[in-house]
């Protein structure tokens, strides 16, 4: 068993998609960075790596058995045992997970670049562990868990706001005010105003969803801002992301 020591981690909890487990260059000052004293390193197949990185389902029992209580965190100068945690790599990428006592990767983190390079050096020339995986597990993407291709190239802030927009769209789909759908589609694509009046509610919603789920632009941002207005939970997320931008700009001036 390979082990790593003194690792800095930035946990993202309950994230089933790897694009939301932020790379080091996207870590923020307010993130809760923790120090791991010791943790097992597992070299696994591409298939198992992507499963751990991009899903929230039960891990192979043999893997859990191999790492059981072999991780130690440092908190207030005390060494605390962790039930199930590990650094995993397929030789091309790295992710750290902690099940917080369950059997699925509830918390995930990336590593700082220097420690990532060390991972690749440690597994060089080695063979991946042959952990059994259930071949019937199929990952399904949907409006609240977009396909990674829909998030490609976006910053952490843009991904957060895009997820917020998708939450608002999902709420819109299930609302009791069908005319709102045509209204928001007109906001998104005012040039289609005459045609939009002829669309059914379902067709209007599908066009709005398909139009907004690709990329990110100022038009996306404006639509998101308008759709979340007056909804306290959504507005809190919106304001949080935009306050960070203001703070960043002020710190540069």
């Amino acid at each position: 068993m390979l082990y790593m020591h003194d690792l800095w981690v930035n946990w993202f909890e309950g994230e089933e998609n790897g694009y939301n487990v932020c790379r080091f260059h996207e870590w923020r000052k307010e993130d809760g960075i923790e120090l791991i004293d010791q943790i097992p390193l597992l070299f696994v197949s591409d298939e198992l790596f992507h499963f751990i990185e991009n899903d929230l389902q039960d891990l192979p029992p043999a893997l859990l058995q191999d790492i059981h209580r072999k991780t130690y965190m440092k908190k207030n100068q005390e060494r605390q045992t962790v039930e199930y945690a590990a650094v995993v790599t397929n030789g091309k990428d790295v992710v750290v997970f902690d099940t917080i006592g369950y059997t699925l990767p509830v918390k995930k983190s990336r590593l700082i670049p220097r420690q990532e390079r060390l991972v690749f050096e440690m597994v060089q020339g080695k063979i991946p562990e042959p952990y059994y995986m259930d071949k019937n597990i199929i990952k399904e993407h949907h409006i609240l868990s977009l396909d990674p291709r829909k998030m490609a190239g976006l910053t952490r802030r843009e991904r957060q706001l895009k997820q917020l927009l998708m939450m608002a769209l999902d709420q819109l789909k299930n609302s009791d005010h069908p005319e709102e759908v045509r209204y928001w589609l007109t906001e998104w694509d005012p040039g289609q105003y005459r045609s939009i009046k002829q669309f059914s509610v379902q067709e209007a919603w599908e066009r709005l969803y398909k139009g907004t789920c690709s990329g990110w632009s100022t038009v996306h941002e404006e639509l998101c801002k308008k759709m979340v207005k007056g909804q306290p939970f959504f507005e809190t997320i919106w304001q949080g992301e935009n306050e960070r931008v203001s703070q960043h700009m002020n710190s540069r001036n």
Side-chain angles (χ1 to χ4, degrees):
M1 175 77 67
L2 297 171
Y3 290 93
M4 300 192 74
H5 301 272
D6 301 322
L7 293 192
W8 293 105
V9 290
N10 180 15
W11 296 122
F12 291 86
E13 191 164 338
E15 295 292 356
E16 61 174 308
N17 293 300
Y19 54 71
N20 283 329
V21 183
C22 296
R23 305 281 173 179
F24 174 68
H25 70 273
E26 290 192 315
W27 290 7
R28 294 169 172 168
K29 288 181 180 178
E30 66 268 24
D31 289 342
I33 312 300
E34 295 184 6
L35 178 64
I36 297 179
D37 189 37
Q38 172 186 297
I39 188 168
L41 166 60
L42 301 177
F43 184 24
V44 300
S45 66
D46 287 337
E47 186 179 20
L48 180 53
F49 178 84
H50 292 303
F51 173 77
I52 294 170
E53 181 187 38
N54 295 297
D55 222 323
L56 270 178
Q57 300 197 55
D58 288 335
L59 297 165
L63 184 154
L64 292 171
Q65 185 177 344
D66 284 349
I67 64 174
H68 187 224
R69 298 180 67 81
K70 291 181 179 176
T71 294
Y72 301 94
M73 302 286 294
K74 269 188 179 173
K75 289 189 178 179
N76 301 321
Q77 303 303 314
E78 290 186 7
R79 211 170 185 238
Q80 299 180 358
T81 307
V82 177
E83 285 295 304
Y84 301 110
V87 179
V88 289
T89 182
N90 58 353
K92 299 181 279 290
D93 204 351
V94 185
V95 71
V96 190
F97 73 83
D98 179 355
T99 71
I100 61 171
Y102 298 102
T103 55
L104 56 156
V106 178
K107 299 198 298 187
K108 302 176 190 178
S109 176
R110 303 294 178 178
L111 293 179
I112 65 174
R114 174 177 56 81
Q115 292 173 333
E116 266 196 359
R117 290 194 296 271
L118 179 59
V119 168
F120 299 141
E121 290 171 11
M122 290 175 70
V123 301
Q124 193 168 13
K126 292 186 166 36
I127 298 170
E129 293 287 339
Y131 293 113
Y132 170 77
M133 282 187 65
D134 185 347
K135 303 295 183 183
N136 295 320
I137 297 174
I138 299 172
K139 173 68 179 280
E140 293 184 3
H141 291 286
H142 50 80
I143 189 170
L144 300 179
S145 175
L146 292 177
D147 187 293
R149 290 170 293 187
K150 304 295 185 186
M151 292 292 199
L154 305 189
T155 64
R156 179 174 176 176
R157 174 180 177 273
E158 289 167 346
R159 292 194 303 272
Q160 286 288 106
L161 292 181
K162 188 165 186 176
Q163 285 184 289
L164 177 60
L165 177 58
M166 293 299 117
M167 288 163 66
L169 285 174
D170 186 56
Q171 185 184 74
L172 177 66
K173 185 179 184 180
N174 298 298
S175 76
D176 296 324
H177 307 285
E179 278 306 312
E180 280 190 32
V181 179
R182 295 190 187 92
Y183 170 80
W184 290 118
L185 179 57
T186 304
E187 284 286 311
W188 169 254
D189 189 4
Q192 296 293 315
Y193 173 69
R194 293 186 182 281
S195 303
I196 290 169
K197 290 194 292 184
Q198 310 303 319
F199 295 158
S200 67
V201 174
Q202 180 64 28
E203 187 179 5
W205 189 89
E206 288 289 343
R207 284 176 180 255
L208 182 57
Y209 170 63
K210 287 178 181 176
T212 55
C213 75
S214 294
W216 187 256
S217 65
T218 53
V219 185
H220 283 84
E221 193 146 332
E222 279 301 310
L223 181 68
C224 185
K225 181 180 179 180
K226 292 173 182 175
M227 288 192 75
V228 303
K229 190 172 183 180
Q231 302 191 63
F233 175 67
F234 290 169
E235 278 193 324
T236 300
I237 300 172
W238 170 268
Q239 290 166 1
E241 288 302 318
N242 284 283
E243 282 170 8
R244 290 187 186 97
V245 172
S246 299
Q247 290 168 2
H248 179 68
M249 294 303 291
N250 291 335
S251 67
R252 293 179 62 181
N253 294 333

